[in-house]
């Protein structure tokens, strides 16, 4: 792995620059892709830089500017770019087989590892994205319970499946009562039937969410929860809220789906281990693909049997041309094997150092703001109000301009973060790099 401390961060006032290769590529992209992009989260104004190569904790753009990568492909690159042992395993696999209309041993090995680590997972079913994993989990819950509805948290992001998207982008003009949020569409024309089949829960409000879950008890197939939701400001689930959801869902026959697509990296036993809950279904993605496209649903054998066909037609038919392709499986298995418990503890220590450093950077300058996150995540908000729910984050959007100025300064000081100032760590990072980044953020805060 790259020793991050041997690299100092460049002071490279290279962006934005109309004469750059990235600026030219962006203009070219605009002709053939709407807004020049295929992915909402990776765009920033006036144009995103285009990546050319990556190594360990660093990524280099097409203009030759190298930055410490604190995006890590939105949580998926837990070992950073091209970790040598993963690359060796993938290279060997590429010499044998890339995709095939047959199963391979690698899919069993990865499933065994996941079942061993995750308390709620006896069996696994693969897909190619987290979106698909969530969709399949919801379908499985419906087939298992014979019920149509799901409950989810206002603002929480679970990918692009219609029901999982409801109220993901709710705004004050439509979101209604904070104790009983109105299900809002995410795109124009989203069918009313979809909205009718989703119960939207307020985050960490035990009494209000309990009342909603109990009011819909007989109709709910599942409660879909991410315990550290990125779009709810990385505010962790409260222990009594999670306990209430587990208890009410079990009592009413609804399944608990824990969405760990983003958050499996919270610990060796996943987010479920960290938060002490055993879900009925777990959705996975990102890190279990080792840098390649992936999704998976895991769960209790009894629930997962809806995908099985031992006794005839499956209750949930599920296929997918690239499901469990051996390249992804090989990369994912090696990636997960390179994550013993001490790798997670080390990331947690680095994360705490980063969060503490960011908090100091704010207080040293007398700036309002808040640092949220846990384990290997940190989010810096410049809002003058505390962030506790999605609605606070919508209020905080008025500070987006100031945050994007910080992002822009960091871009020219060798640090790549998301425009919303989320920092995601990877194993090749070390204390020296974290301290450098904290110093750069401090300088950026002083400059905006
Ligand atoms: C919690 C959660 N669920 C699901 C998804 C969707 O995963 P994918 O982007 O692989 O479709 C994401 C993506 O960021 C996510 O954060």
């Amino acid at each position: 792995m790259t020793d991050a401390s041997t690299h100092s961060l460049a002071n490279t006032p290279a962006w934005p620059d109309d004469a750059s290769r990235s600026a030219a590529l962006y203009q070219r992209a605009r002709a053939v892709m709407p807004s020049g992009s295929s992915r909402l989260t990776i765009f920033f104004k006036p144009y995103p830089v285009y990546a050319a190569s990556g190594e360990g904790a660093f990524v280099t753009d097409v203009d030759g500017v190298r930055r410490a990568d604190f995006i890590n492909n939105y949580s998926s690159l837990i070992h950073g770019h091209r970790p040598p042992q993963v690359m060796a395993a993938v290279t060997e696999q590429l010499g044998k087989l890339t995709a095939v209309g047959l199963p391979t041993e690698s899919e069993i090995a990865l499933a065994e590892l996941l079942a061993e680590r995750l308390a709620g997972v006896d069996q696994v079913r693969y897909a190619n994205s987290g979106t698909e994993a969530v969709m399949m989990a919801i379908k499985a819950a419906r087939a298992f319970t014979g019920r149509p509805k799901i409950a989810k948290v206002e603002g929480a992001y679970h990918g692009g499946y219609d029901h999982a998207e409801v109220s993901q982008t709710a705004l004050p003009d439509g979101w209604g009562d904070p104790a009983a949020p109105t299900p809002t569409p995410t795109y124009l024309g989203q069918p009313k039937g979809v909205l009718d089949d989703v119960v939207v829960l307020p985050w960490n409000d035990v009494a209000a969410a309990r009342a909603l879950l109990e009011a819909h008890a007989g109709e709910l197939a599942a409660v879909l929860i991410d315990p550290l939701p990125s779009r709810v400001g990385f505010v962790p689930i409260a222990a009594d809220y999670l306990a209430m959801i587990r208890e009410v869902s079990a009592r009413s026959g609804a399944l608990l789906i824990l969405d760990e697509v983003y958050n499996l990296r919270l610990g060796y036993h996943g987010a479920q281990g960290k938060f002490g809950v055993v879900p009925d279904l777990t959705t996975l993605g990102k890190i279990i693909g080792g840098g390649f496209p992936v999704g998976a649903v895991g769960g209790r054998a009894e629930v997962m049997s809806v995908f099985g066909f031992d006794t005839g037609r499956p209750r949930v038919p599920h296929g997918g041309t690239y499901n469990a392709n051996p390249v992804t499986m090989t990369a994912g298995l090696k990636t997960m094997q390179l994550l013993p418990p001490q790798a997670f503890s080390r990331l947690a220590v680095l994360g705490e150092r980063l969060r503490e450093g960011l908090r100091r950077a704010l207080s040293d300058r007398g700036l309002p703001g808040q640092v949220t996150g846990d384990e290997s995540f940190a989010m810096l908000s410049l809002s003058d109000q505390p962030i506790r729910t999605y609605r606070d984050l919508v209020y905080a959007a008025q500070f987006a301009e100031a945050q994007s100025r910080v992002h822009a300064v960091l871009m020219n000081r060798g640090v790549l973060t998301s425009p919303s100032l989320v920092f995601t760590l990877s194993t090749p990072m070390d204390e020296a790099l974290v301290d450098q980044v904290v110093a750069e953020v401090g300088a950026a805060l002083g400059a905006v």
Side-chain angles (χ1 to χ4, degrees):
M1 305 254 159
T2 311
D3 176 5
S5 61
T6 61
H7 302 281
S8 59
L9 300 177
N11 189 348
T12 47
W15 177 88
D17 173 3
D18 287 348
S20 66
R21 233 174 99 55
S22 280
L25 286 174
Y26 177 57
Q27 286 313 320
R28 217 173 114 197
R30 286 188 65 84
V32 285
M33 289 181 243
S35 297
S37 182
S38 259
R39 196 173 167 191
L40 195 55
T41 43
I42 63 166
F43 178 78
F44 42 84
K45 284 181 185 167
Y47 63 87
V49 293
Y50 282 70
S53 63
E55 186 190 2
F58 293 86
V59 64
T60 302
D61 72 19
V62 290
D63 293 291
V65 180
R66 190 165 161 278
R67 299 178 178 88
D69 185 358
F70 281 83
I71 296 182
N72 279 307
N73 199 28
Y74 287 90
S75 162
S76 76
L77 300 182
I78 195 160
H79 296 306
H81 295 278
R82 298 188 301 112
Q85 285 160 284
V86 178
M87 289 304 99
V90 168
T91 305
E92 192 189 329
Q93 182 58 43
L94 288 176
K96 293 193 269 190
L97 196 61
T98 60
V100 58
L102 293 169
T104 67
E105 187 174 344
S106 56
E107 69 198 55
I108 308 171
L110 180 57
E112 285 168 345
L113 180 146
L114 294 169
E116 197 185 298
R117 290 191 185 188
L118 303 176
V121 174
D122 300 329
Q123 295 192 328
V124 174
R125 190 95 185 174
Y126 296 105
N128 292 294
S129 68
T131 289
E132 277 179 78
V134 169
M135 177 176 74
M136 296 316 299
I138 291 173
K139 289 186 182 183
R142 287 182 182 140
F144 188 75
T145 60
R147 302 169 179 175
K149 292 192 179 180
I150 64 154
K152 65 152 298 199
V153 168
E154 187 174 48
Y157 183 70
H158 299 283
Y161 178 52
D162 273 65
H163 294 81
E165 271 189 333
V166 169
S167 289
Q168 181 201 302
T169 54
L171 286 172
D173 60 355
W175 66 23
D177 182 354
T182 306
T184 63
T186 302
Y187 62 92
L188 211 58
Q190 192 165 19
K192 185 177 173 302
V194 169
L195 304 179
D196 291 344
D197 277 336
V198 178
V199 176
V200 180
L201 306 176
W203 188 232
N204 280 342
D205 183 337
V206 178
R210 179 193 288 278
L212 286 165
L213 291 175
E214 284 178 348
H216 295 273
E219 311 155 304
L220 284 174
V223 185
L224 173 64
I225 291 285
D226 176 345
L228 188 71
S230 60
R231 306 273 180 94
V232 186
F234 288 95
V235 175
I237 196 162
D240 54 349
Y241 188 78
L242 180 56
M244 179 278 292
I245 287 174
R246 181 63 285 191
E247 186 262 313
V248 176
S249 56
R251 184 157 40 80
S252 64
L255 302 186
L256 174 60
I257 304 174
L258 202 71
D259 187 350
E260 297 210 28
V261 169
Y262 209 85
N263 278 322
L264 183 67
R265 59 154 62 218
L266 292 182
Y268 183 75
H269 296 294
Q272 53 201 266
K274 179 178 172 70
F275 289 97
V277 67
V278 181
D280 302 293
L281 289 169
T282 303
T283 51
L284 301 164
K286 306 233 186 211
I287 69 169
I288 68 156
F292 293 84
V294 78
V297 191
R300 279 197 282 133
E302 186 195 5
V303 179
M304 292 298 287
S305 72
V306 298
F307 295 114
F309 40 82
D310 293 345
T311 53
R313 288 172 54 183
R315 280 172 282 168
V316 180
H318 172 229
T321 304
Y322 286 100
N323 289 359
N325 74 79
V327 177
T328 296
M329 294 295 105
T330 301
L333 178 63
K334 182 54 79 180
T335 294
M336 295 304 294
Q337 287 169 337
L338 291 171
L339 288 170
Q342 54 276 28
F344 290 98
S345 343
R346 186 175 163 273
L347 280 172
V349 170
L350 276 184
E352 197 49 35
R353 191 180 183 101
L354 175 59
R355 287 184 293 276
E356 279 306 310
L358 295 176
R359 284 186 191 117
R360 247 190 349 266
L362 282 173
S363 62
D364 285 354
R365 284 158 192 81
L367 291 169
Q370 191 180 339
V371 178
T372 53
D374 203 344
E375 307 285 346
S376 52
F377 294 115
M379 187 180 111
L380 174 65
S381 162
L382 296 178
S383 177
D384 60 2
Q385 297 297 319
I387 292 179
R388 290 157 306 203
T389 69
Y390 166 77
R391 295 190 182 197
D392 297 327
L393 214 57
V394 172
Y395 168 85
Q398 60 193 285
F399 300 87
E401 213 34 62
Q403 297 198 180
S404 67
R405 284 199 298 275
V406 173
H407 172 259
V409 173
L410 291 175
M411 282 288 287
N412 285 333
R413 297 182 75 102
V415 180
L416 182 69
T417 70
S418 77
S420 50
L421 300 182
V422 173
F423 298 74
T424 304
L425 301 175
S426 62
T427 55
M429 294 179 169
D430 62 10
E431 279 85 356
L433 182 61
V434 165
D435 292 348
Q436 281 175 283
V437 165
V438 167
E440 296 300 348
V441 172
L445 287 172
V448 298

